């Protein structure tokens, strides 16, 4: 992949003039199943570690926008360390994101409607959009981008996150002009899962912050980013809850989660619909949720049930966290607990915190947002009955 941009900082008080991006238009990225990287690169630099066509298009466009000054700050190499302890939490110092990002919008309800008067993605500068992801016409099963029945939206826009966590941090947006609130839909998740398979990088992850779960903007979107470190949630074995629907409980991780798994492209439609049915059930019961997508081992663990030579094959893991909702604008805590933190990746806003935080302190901050274990287990039984019905 292209090298990181230089770490010199552009003053945030003088944004680029509109003429620098007004002529830009998103590049169409048309793909089919032949573009899916079924055997993604591993962390040891195995064969297949070269970036895919999708990786090159995304990262080259992202670096171009950084050079043109479309971000709120220039992102150089970020100090990163793995905290001592069994969870192998990845801490990363990103001071500028903590100080220069747009203030999060206030969230007052799990079903808060979209507000066209608030900032939303229809107000993006045209140059912020990198790609328009479109499945080849002969590969689709109907378009239209409907909220429940369609397999995937007609297209997904890939836009830079102007306050990036890491190099390559983008947003996936399904038809922003429709004004959909931040409630996960199966078409969007299906598109995100396909984007995960388009990348050859082992650290390309996607995720969703729901309303009441640290969503900063009430306009439907997924986050996607590259992180060059493995996470425990990719490999930890899970306890089966509903094997027929691929539902498990992932317990020995930083934040216990419901785990869904697809071995390959054939399982993505059912997986997306099951995750969204479960997420809707959480909302119905007054709970907020976050979602995380990563390449990972089968729920039973690495090599479980695999034939000779097949143990290294990894599919897609989707983690769903249930949590107590938090309403109102996010306050200035030591760090917010959203999809990254729940997965074991801690973007931290201050050097002393980055230097001194321990695994035990981080886990206490993360888990105070989650459900007590008895409630989590009862919820797992409810979800198993819902999906099996």
């Amino acid at each position: 992949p292209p090298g990181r941009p230089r770490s010199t900082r552009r003053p945030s008080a003088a944004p680029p003039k509109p003429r620098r991006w007004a002529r830009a238009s998103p590049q169409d990225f048309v793909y089919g199943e032949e573009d899916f990287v079924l055997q993604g690169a591993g962390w040891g630099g195995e064969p297949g570690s070269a970036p895919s066509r999708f990786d090159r298009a995304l990262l080259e466009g992202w670096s171009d926008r950084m050079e043109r000054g479309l971000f709120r700050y220039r992102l150089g190499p970020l100090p990163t360390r793995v905290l001592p302890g069994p969870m192998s939490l990845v801490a990363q110092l990103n001071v500028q994101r903590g100080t220069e990002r747009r203030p999060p919008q206030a969230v007052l309800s799990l079903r808060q409607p979209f507000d066209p008067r608030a900032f939303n993605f229809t107000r993006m500068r045209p140059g912020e959009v990198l790609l328009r992801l479109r499945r080849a016409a002969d590969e689709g099963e109907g378009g239209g981008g409907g909220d429940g029945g369609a397999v995937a939206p007609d297209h997904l826009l890939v836009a830079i996150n102007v306050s990036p966590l890491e190099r390559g941090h983008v947003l996936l947006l399904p038809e922003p002009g429709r004004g959909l609130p931040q409630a996960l839909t199966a078409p969007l998740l299906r598109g995100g899962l396909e984007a995960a398979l388009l990348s050859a990088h082992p650290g390309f992850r996607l995720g969703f912050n729901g309303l009441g779960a640290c969503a900063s903007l009430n306009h439907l979107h997924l986050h996607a980013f590259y992180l060059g470190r493995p996470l425990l949630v990719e490999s930890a074995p899970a306890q089966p809850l509903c094997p027929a629907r691929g539902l498990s409980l992932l317990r020995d991780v930083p934040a216990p989660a419901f785990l869904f798994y697809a071995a390959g492209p054939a399982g993505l439609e059912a997986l997306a619909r099951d995750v969204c049915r479960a997420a809707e059930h959480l909302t119905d019961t007054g709970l907020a949720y976050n979602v995380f997508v990563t390449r990972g081992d089968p729920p039973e663990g690495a090599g479980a049930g695999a034939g000779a030579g097949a143990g290294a094959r990894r599919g897609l893991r989707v983690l769903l966290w249930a949590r107590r909702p938090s309403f109102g604008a996010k306050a200035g805590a030591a760090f917010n607990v959203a999809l990254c933190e729940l997965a074991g990746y801690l973007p931290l806003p201050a050097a002393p915190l980055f230097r001194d935080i321990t695994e035990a302190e981080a886990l206490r901050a993360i888990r105070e947002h989650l459900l007590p274990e008895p409630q989590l287990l009862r919820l797992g039984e409810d979800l198993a009955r819902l999906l099996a019905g």
Side-chain angles (χ1 to χ4, degrees):
R4 290 182 182 271
R6 295 183 300 275
S7 60
T8 54
R9 176 179 170 184
R10 178 181 61 81
S12 59
K17 297 180 181 179
R19 57 186 171 82
R20 295 187 63 185
W21 59 77
R23 295 189 301 273
S25 59
Q27 169 190 345
D28 267 2
F29 188 96
V30 181
Y31 67 93
E33 287 201 10
E34 68 276 8
D35 293 297
F36 292 152
V37 183
L38 301 182
Q39 186 69 31
W43 292 105
E46 293 91 338
S49 59
S52 67
R53 182 170 71 96
F54 172 74
D55 293 321
R56 291 193 300 270
L58 189 158
L59 291 169
E60 288 170 5
W62 195 94
S63 296
D64 169 74
R65 285 4 179 237
M66 180 63 72
E67 291 301 320
R68 289 162 55 188
L70 270 68
F71 291 81
R72 286 177 170 253
Y73 47 87
R74 292 192 65 90
L75 191 71
L78 297 170
T80 304
R81 71 185 185 100
V82 178
L83 303 188
M87 296 297 170
S88 298
L89 300 176
V90 177
Q92 190 171 71
L93 179 61
N94 190 335
V95 175
Q96 290 169 294
R97 178 171 167 85
T99 59
E100 299 192 29
R101 65 182 300 200
R102 181 180 292 108
Q105 294 176 0
V107 173
L108 306 175
S109 165
L110 294 177
R111 297 192 185 276
Q112 188 162 311
F114 173 77
D115 182 358
R117 298 166 298 178
F119 177 83
N120 61 76
F121 296 121
T122 65
R123 302 185 187 180
M124 288 188 305
R125 300 166 293 187
E128 294 178 18
V129 181
L130 304 180
L131 304 170
R132 182 188 291 110
L133 294 184
R134 292 197 298 111
R135 219 169 192 264
D138 60 345
E139 298 283 356
E141 300 179 38
D147 292 348
V151 172
D154 286 337
H155 63 265
L156 284 177
L157 297 182
V158 180
I160 61 172
N161 187 314
V162 295
S163 302
L165 284 165
E166 252 286 11
R167 181 168 170 269
H169 186 182
V170 295
L171 305 170
L172 272 60
L173 312 173
E175 303 171 276
R178 295 182 63 197
L180 297 175
Q182 184 69 347
L184 189 61
T185 67
L188 173 58
L189 181 56
R190 170 69 185 271
L193 294 169
E194 293 191 344
L197 289 182
L198 289 172
S199 174
H201 194 294
F204 183 70
R205 281 77 174 230
L206 301 98
F208 179 89
N209 293 322
L211 297 178
C214 283
S216 296
L217 189 64
N218 187 19
H219 196 182
L220 187 58
H221 64 286
L222 291 176
H223 290 268
F225 59 93
Y226 295 83
L227 176 67
R229 301 292 181 109
L231 299 171
L232 183 61
V233 295
E234 302 164 10
S235 57
Q239 168 191 334
L241 292 177
C242 183
R245 304 305 302 174
L247 173 66
S248 304
L249 179 61
L250 199 58
R251 300 178 78 169
D252 297 325
V253 290
F258 299 111
L259 173 65
F260 298 80
Y261 180 80
L268 299 188
E269 179 182 354
L271 184 153
R273 287 178 172 157
D274 284 348
V275 171
C276 289
R277 286 182 68 196
E280 180 66 15
H281 178 78
L282 298 185
T283 302
D284 287 343
T285 59
L287 296 171
Y289 63 89
N290 303 84
V291 174
F292 187 73
V293 177
T294 184
R295 287 190 187 262
D297 295 326
E300 301 83 4
R313 182 173 291 277
R314 309 177 98 199
L316 291 180
R317 285 187 166 203
V318 180
L319 280 68
L320 172 67
W321 288 283
R323 58 188 289 172
R324 294 186 288 268
S326 175
F327 298 123
K330 289 180 285 188
F335 60 88
N336 288 313
V337 176
L339 69 95
C340 293
E341 292 79 6
L342 293 168
Y345 163 42
L346 311 178
L348 300 175
L353 180 63
F354 170 76
R355 182 189 65 235
D356 299 334
I357 192 169
T358 66
E359 180 180 272
E361 291 167 342
L363 291 178
R364 279 196 297 271
I366 290 169
R367 291 175 177 174
E368 70 180 23
H369 297 272
L370 302 180
L371 305 181
E373 185 172 273
Q375 184 180 357
L376 181 69
L377 295 176
R378 288 194 300 273
L379 182 58
E381 294 172 355
D382 293 342
L383 292 180
R385 285 192 293 269
L386 172 72
L387 297 179

